[in-house]
Amino acid sequence: MVEVYHLPNDHDLSVNLFENVSNSEELKRMAITGEINAALLTPSMVLDEFQLLIAANKALHNFINQKLTTKTLHSELLFCLSPTRSISAAFQKFGLQNNDKEVLIVEIHPKDQGILSELQTKVSGKSIPLSSLKNYTDTDSIKKTYKITDAELKMGSLLDAVVTRISTKDLVSF
Amino acid sequence: MQSPKVLIGQGAEAKIYACNFLGRPTIVKERFKKTYRHPSLDSTLTLARTKAEVRCMTRCRTHGIRTPVVYFVDMENHAIYMEHLVNWVTVKDFIIRFQAGDKSLLALLPLAEKIGGAVGLMHSHGLIHGDLTTSNMLLSGASEDFELVFIDFGLGSIEGSPEDKAVDLYVLEKALLSTHPSTEPVLEAILNSYFKVRAKDSKEVTRKLDEVRMRGRKRTMVG
């Protein structure tokens, strides 16, 4: 099912989680050609929808201010999620890989103009509620990728630490 | 979900708004343009201050000192969106209310220790708050299990020298004693706890602190 969250500037974020996916490679190809105009993420690196919202807000802001680092709004979303400045590393870590069996499809769109429900037919897999995300989240991988310290986890949550890195990436080196 | 911003405060540098941002209660600190400055200089300075503030706040977190989580840095508008700690009280209000009651000052010692320890930890990593007043420290929770959060790093910096640290401590000293009468024992506890952190430059900082104390208003710097 598609879950929708509000973003600033009259935009929304639509999210759909799938499991038992058998056509990941095909989906990736469709994203490259533009047949799928959304971001294809690996759920293992996503902790919570708030992490997506923080990254999406930044990507949208960059897009509106013509300050994109990558070529499209959705590739920017993927890039914003990543703690590094390397675009290819972002795609490697956060993007859908060819033999992934789960995919998180995320779309940033003007209010009430989402097309994720139409995209569902393109996915050979089962759409599940976002609340099942925790079954696929790899917290160890997240801690390692975002370089989160134990000191930080003592006074804040993992999500707090992840959000901090996404929002301050351009200003602070971790 | 976003709600329109409500102005809740204004300082010399920025306007503070409260709103709901991406579903969370949020504070927006927006630095305003100083029209008396040359525009390009103003822009550079304001941007530099915003960056320094975010860097300092974030570095504190990595070392275990709690500061508000930064949600978004809008460089175009020089605004910082951060978590709003609703229902937390300032240490200032806490001490005022405490002193209005009749408990002994000894009950403030755990708080003093926590403050000293946190500032000691900050300084040991070279982080300078820049405006250590009791209004810039927030408290949560019950008496025993309270948490401390530092806010407003608008004058903060990283890579502070012993002199910078001494000045930071001196500001805290003056702010505490002038706002809260007769809290010398609290200050003493803060400083004891601070020096327990045993940073490499502790001796230097102590010396500089004595020097800075001699510098104040209406003081002659003679030996």
Side-chain angles (χ1 to χ4, degrees):
Chain A
M1 54 231 283
V2 181
E3 268 136 306
V4 187
Y5 304 91
H6 295 296
L7 285 172
N9 302 112
D10 288 315
H11 275 68
D12 282 339
L13 183 79
S14 288
V15 184
N16 202 346
L17 178 63
F18 294 86
E19 63 179 8
N20 300 329
V21 178
S22 55
N23 67 336
S24 291
E25 204 172 334
E26 193 192 352
L27 291 173
K28 275 181 68 177
R29 201 184 22 84
M30 289 198 258
I32 292 169
T33 61
E35 204 181 322
I36 289 182
N37 191 7
L40 304 179
L41 308 175
T42 172
S44 61
M45 291 304 292
V46 182
L47 196 55
D48 185 278
E49 67 268 13
F50 190 59
Q51 176 189 0
L52 294 173
L53 285 167
I54 294 286
N57 170 69
K58 199 164 174 202
L60 181 61
H61 177 83
N62 291 349
F63 180 72
I64 289 172
N65 288 284
Q66 293 165 317
K67 289 204 158 104
L68 287 178
T69 304
T70 64
K71 292 207 181 102
T72 69
L73 174 57
H74 290 115
S75 55
E76 192 80 3
L77 168 55
L78 224 140
F79 177 66
C80 286
L81 271 171
S82 170
T84 71
R85 324 256 163 128
S86 157
I87 301 174
S88 52
F91 273 79
Q92 284 272 59
K93 260 277 133 178
F94 293 83
L96 180 69
Q97 301 307 312
N98 285 337
N99 36 21
D100 279 349
K101 296 280 171 282
E102 300 86 31
V103 62
L104 189 60
I105 304 189
V106 180
E107 192 206 351
I108 300 172
H109 55 86
K111 234 178 206 9
D112 303 325
Q113 287 176 42
I115 45 98
L116 276 201
S117 34
E118 295 156 31
L119 280 184
Q120 277 189 62
T121 49
K122 301 200 161 122
V123 183
S124 300
K126 182 172 168 231
S127 173
I128 55 176
L130 194 59
S131 49
S132 302
L133 178 62
K134 54 183 177 310
N135 300 336
Y136 299 110
T137 306
D138 183 352
T139 46
D140 287 332
S141 187
I142 288 177
K143 274 185 209 165
K144 196 164 158 225
T145 306
Y146 284 107
K147 296 203 180 98
I148 290 161
T149 65
D150 287 332
E152 228 176 325
L153 291 175
K154 280 203 189 107
M155 64 81 214
S157 68
L158 179 58
L159 183 58
D160 287 340
V162 167
V163 162
T164 302
R165 275 154 185 71
I166 294 173
S167 63
T168 63
K169 177 163 105 176
D170 319 311
L171 302 176
V172 189
S173 50
F174 289 94
Chain B
M1 214 9 163
Q2 203 167 303
S3 64
K5 299 190 287 196
V6 175
L7 185 69
I8 61 169
Q10 184 163 325
E13 296 258 310
K15 286 190 170 145
I16 313 287
Y17 298 91
C19 67
N20 191 291
F21 177 72
L22 305 177
R24 304 256 177 134
T26 300
I27 293 278
V28 184
K29 182 170 178 174
E30 204 171 304
R31 281 188 160 74
F32 32 70
K33 296 197 206 308
K34 299 215 167 154
T35 50
Y36 58 80
R37 285 187 190 140
H38 188 285
S40 57
L41 180 62
D42 185 43
S43 186
T44 318
L45 283 173
T46 311
L47 202 61
R49 275 272 102 241
T50 304
K51 282 185 186 173
E53 180 166 6
V54 171
R55 275 191 192 121
C56 209
M57 275 175 76
T58 323
R59 290 256 163 100
C60 276
R61 287 192 72 88
T62 345
H63 297 300
I65 300 142
R66 193 163 169 183
T67 62
V69 177
V70 173
Y71 291 157
F72 175 45
V73 185
D74 182 350
M75 303 284 237
E76 277 67 32
N77 296 298
H78 307 127
I80 305 172
Y81 289 64
M82 63 185 95
E83 76 174 313
H84 185 183
L85 296 162
V86 196
N87 299 328
W88 287 54
V89 307
T90 59
V91 167
K92 176 181 174 181
D93 287 340
F94 181 78
I95 296 177
I96 288 174
R97 269 181 239 163
F98 183 90
Q99 288 189 301
D102 53 12
K103 282 194 224 154
S104 137
L105 263 189
L106 289 174
L108 279 180
L109 295 189
L111 172 60
E113 270 173 42
K114 234 179 184 158
I115 293 173
V119 179
L121 185 56
M122 238 189 258
H123 283 186
S124 72
H125 293 289
L127 301 168
I128 306 292
H129 180 281
D131 193 15
L132 283 171
T133 67
T134 51
S135 310
N136 286 335
M137 298 175 203
L138 303 182
L139 275 185
S140 79
S143 28
E144 270 84 55
D145 226 5
F146 64 89
E147 264 204 85
L148 189 63
V149 154
F150 289 84
I151 62 169
D152 198 356
F153 286 76
L155 296 170
S157 56
I158 59 177
E159 286 166 43
S161 63
E163 160 100 19
D164 297 326
K165 295 173 190 178
V167 170
D168 222 18
L169 287 175
Y170 186 59
V171 168
L172 175 55
E173 184 173 305
K174 297 281 339 150
L176 181 71
L177 298 178
S178 61
T179 315
H180 310 284
S182 317
T183 47
E184 283 82 356
V186 177
L187 174 68
E188 204 182 314
I190 291 175
L191 290 175
N192 283 340
S193 183
Y194 173 90
F195 285 109
K196 272 205 188 110
V197 174
R198 293 197 184 294
K200 287 191 192 128
D201 56 6
S202 283
K203 281 211 181 87
E204 225 2 67
V205 175
T206 314
R207 198 151 45 85
K208 286 285 177 187
L209 183 56
D210 288 334
E211 247 175 67
V212 170
R213 278 179 182 141
M214 279 206 289
R215 271 189 230 152
R217 290 174 73 220
K218 302 176 186 173
R219 283 170 187 264
T220 43
M221 262 189 82
V222 181

